[in-house]
Amino acid sequence: MEGGDELDESIRAHFPLSFGKPSKPQAHASAIHSSTRRAPPPNPNPNPTRPSYSASEDDGAMIGPPRPPPSRGGGGGGGGAGEDDEDVMIGPPRPPSSSRGGDAAEDEEDATIGPPPPPPPRSLDESGYDSDEDLDDESPEDFNRIPLSNEIVLRGHTKVVSALAVDHSGSRVLSGSYDYTVRMYDFQGMNSKLQSFRQLEPFEGHQVRSLSWSPTSDRFLCVTGSAQAKIYDRDGLTLGEFVKGDMYIRDLKNTKGHISGLTGGEWNPKSKESILTSSEDGSLRLWDVSDFKSQKQVIKPKLARPVRTPVTACGWDHEGKRIVGGVGDGSIQLWTIKTGWGSRPDIHVEKAHTDDITGLKFSTGGQILLSRSTDSTLKVWDLRQMRKPVKVFEDLPNNYAQTNAAFSPDEQLIFTGTSVEREGTSGGLLCFFDRRKLELVQRVGISLNFSVIRCAWHPKINQVFATVGDKREGGTHILYDPSISQRGALVCVGRAPRKKSVDDFEVQPIIHNPHALPLFRDQPSRKRQREKELKDPLKSHKPELPVTGPGFGGRVGTTKGSLLTQYLLKQGGLIKETWMEEDPREAILKYADAASKDPKYIAPAYAQTQPEPVFAKSDSEEEEK
């Protein structure tokens, strides 16, 4: 075979370099992920005794010859030729160890080939907590399992990203924003440019507040600021929208749907036909996806005063048998779905928070509940003892109504995002807490200028998602570690965009825009000049005013005549207007004598039939009598 390869190469040398299809060089995995490596976090771990996971501690694979060994101290002693031979590494470097001193035999036993295996899942008891045996075996290295070494950002939104949903396989991501749009990302189809393959606008002028996949990931729910939720298929095609209720009906149970803007929604994790929504009208509603025109159940929370109070958050438990809602008065109410159940809550915690509740999350065991609020707190509740929270984590700024809290895949960690404060310097953070010890484990800086709103940790691909943004920009940060994460971001980061070929032909269209020419260009505003011209009767062609007084010849003006000759004759006394000063009766009677002596028109006509004229008597005289 070696001789054949040499023969092929010798024959290829006689042909041009462009002959044949050359093989594509495969980039090394470390070179691919080196561009996405995170910088050391600006906020150090508040607990220095507990090791923090950062990019600087993850050496990863090496390119080229190995780096020279660092100088040893303590029990290592001085260097020698034998020690140098032992330090030469073949293949990937060994994972970092706490101490470099010791014998060579111990170093050989600790050496591992390939990436370290992922930590095994822990067993949970019936209450949802870790078993005591696992707690005893807990070591500080267990906290290094957070995938934080690399990071990519899915951009495209022009405002804060307020909704996030990752399908169950971890291949498709949905992000909704205050810019009224939903963007769909597919890891299998994306390249290193990280562009979305589809953009939707569910309702014009309404913010996207929640997104949720169905249990089979073939459809997803979109909740916006409008009163109607929408259902889309996996490719972003609209399947239907739920009906809106009559806003003039006072009783919410008699309305067909929500009458105010929605605040949240979630698909039943066990039933692909049931959906839960909450609204500002003060109700929670269950819907059947097969019928968009009717609702299954209307839930009115218990209130201390009969005032319409919005429901700011809602959620299902993992079995789809219980519903939890966060009411605007700060209370948490829980209902169990059973035969004959109604609006009366099974668990009612008054004043659970002092401000609006933005997120609620059940544990897998169903005994632990997380609540996030705009009062800068995260509370951990035990559903068996709801009188007071198990733990209250404070100093977690929250300025957005969609900020949530979540569990890690093994539910040993609790994490949530924080908002940027005006005078603060920490920026947007992801705060991780230990579920058993109920203490802060690590603060991870996501953005210096943007707040962190939604967060999620996908169990299958082992990657952390966090949405950020402000009034001008928004994005979705994905944190991963090539050694322990699978698929997801690892698939698209190493896929380079397609290069333009000579065979690619793009038609450059000729755009005709006649209004861009100076002839058709709009003139600058001349408002003051137009107002001045309107006051000028000559420029504005002001019509003549109607007759307002006596005149001559049918015209009246300032000279009481339209002609100069008439004005001069009148002033000279040649034209006398006496009819305005005479009595009409006297003016007629002065011709009575001439008419009787020499009749011309009317009297000769009646000379034979009525020689003596007969006049009608005055009506006024009869009325007086």
Side-chain angles (χ1 to χ4, degrees), residues 50 122-138 142-143 145 368 370 380 382 384 390-391 393 407-408 410-415 432-441:
R50 188 179 302 278
R122 302 194 174 189
S123 59
L124 303 177
D125 57 10
E126 296 180 356
S127 63
Y129 287 99
D130 295 338
S131 61
D132 296 337
E133 297 178 359
D134 293 340
L135 182 60
D136 297 335
D137 298 336
E138 190 178 32
D142 291 338
F143 293 104
R145 64 183 178 273
I368 301 299
L370 304 179
V380 182
D382 189 347
R384 295 165 294 188
V390 178
K391 179 66 176 179
F393 298 104
F407 290 96
S408 61
D410 57 1
E411 295 198 351
Q412 299 307 304
L413 295 179
I414 299 169
F415 62 100
F432 292 85
F433 305 92
D434 184 11
R435 178 183 171 185
R436 286 290 295 175
K437 297 182 179 180
L438 298 177
E439 62 183 13
L440 179 64
V441 173

Side-chain angles (χ1 to χ4, degrees), residues 21-29 31-32 494-497 499:
K21 186 177 181 181
S23 60
K24 295 182 180 179
Q26 297 293 333
H28 198 273
I32 293 174
R495 185 180 295 134
K499 295 181 180 180

Side-chain angles (χ1 to χ4, degrees), residues 304-523:
R305 298 171 55 190
V307 180
R308 183 168 292 179
T309 307
V311 181
T312 57
C314 65
W316 293 89
D317 69 342
H318 283 262
E319 297 299 327
K321 297 180 180 180
R322 288 185 292 184
I323 294 172
V324 65
V327 190
D329 58 0
S331 65
I332 297 176
Q333 303 185 28
L334 188 142
W335 296 266
T336 302
I337 299 178
K338 53 189 177 182
T339 305
W341 70 288
S343 296
R344 185 179 181 85
D346 297 325
I347 298 177
H348 181 204
V349 183
E350 296 182 358
K351 299 180 180 179
H353 287 275
T354 58
D355 209 337
D356 289 345
I357 299 172
T358 61
L360 295 167
K361 182 66 175 179
F362 280 98
S363 64
T364 305
Q367 300 298 334
I368 301 299
L369 178 67
L370 304 179
S371 63
R372 187 75 165 96
S373 173
T374 53
D375 60 3
S376 302
T377 62
L378 167 63
K379 295 187 179 182
V380 182
W381 302 85
D382 189 347
L383 296 181
R384 295 165 294 188
Q385 298 177 356
M386 289 290 289
R387 294 183 179 179
K388 61 179 181 179
V390 178
K391 179 66 176 179
V392 179
F393 298 104
E394 299 179 346
D395 298 330
L396 301 173
N398 180 12
N399 301 327
Y400 291 90
Q402 288 78 32
T403 305
N404 71 328
F407 290 96
S408 61
D410 57 1
E411 295 198 351
Q412 299 307 304
L413 295 179
I414 299 169
F415 62 100
T416 185
T418 63
S419 299
V420 176
E421 295 180 306
R422 291 185 178 180
E423 299 178 356
T425 58
S426 60
L429 305 175
L430 265 181
C431 300
F432 292 85
F433 305 92
D434 184 11
R435 178 183 171 185
R436 286 290 295 175
K437 297 182 179 180
L438 298 177
E439 62 183 13
L440 179 64
V441 173
Q442 188 174 358
R443 293 178 183 266
V444 179
I446 301 298
S447 176
L448 293 176
N449 303 320
F450 299 151
S451 302
V452 179
I453 297 93
R454 305 289 295 185
C455 56
W457 191 337
H458 200 278
K460 288 191 176 181
I461 61 178
N462 196 18
Q463 298 174 17
V464 179
F465 296 78
T467 66
V468 300
D470 60 0
K471 295 181 180 180
R472 298 177 299 275
E473 186 180 354
T476 303
H477 291 245
I478 303 177
L479 309 179
Y480 69 97
D481 189 342
S483 60
I484 59 177
S485 299
Q486 300 177 1
R487 301 189 304 275
L490 281 74
V491 177
C492 59
V493 169
R495 185 180 295 134
R498 180 179 177 273
K499 295 181 180 180
K500 291 186 177 181
S501 175
V502 182
D503 300 331
D504 294 340
F505 177 73
E506 296 182 1
V507 178
Q508 299 295 336
I510 301 176
I511 302 174
H512 300 277
N513 188 6
H515 296 283
L517 300 175
L519 179 63
F520 300 98
R521 191 175 300 164
D522 295 337
Q523 297 296 329

Side-chain angles (χ1 to χ4, degrees), residues 54-66:
S54 61
S56 60
E57 296 178 357
D58 185 13
D59 294 333
M62 300 180 62
I63 303 175

Side-chain angles (χ1 to χ4, degrees), residues 13-45:
H14 296 281
F15 292 93
L17 296 177
S18 60
F19 183 81
K21 186 177 181 181
S23 60
K24 295 182 180 179
Q26 297 293 333
H28 198 273
S30 59
I32 293 174
H33 299 291
S34 61
S35 61
T36 62
R37 186 176 296 275
R38 282 171 53 87
N43 298 81
N45 190 359

Side-chain angles (χ1 to χ4, degrees), residues 6 21 166 231 247 293 307 356 382 421 482 490 520 579 600 621:
E6 294 178 359
K21 186 177 181 181
V166 187
I231 302 295
M247 65 180 67
K293 299 299 182 181
V307 180
D356 289 345
D382 189 347
E421 295 180 306
L490 281 74
F520 300 98
W579 59 273
K600 292 182 178 181
E621 293 179 358

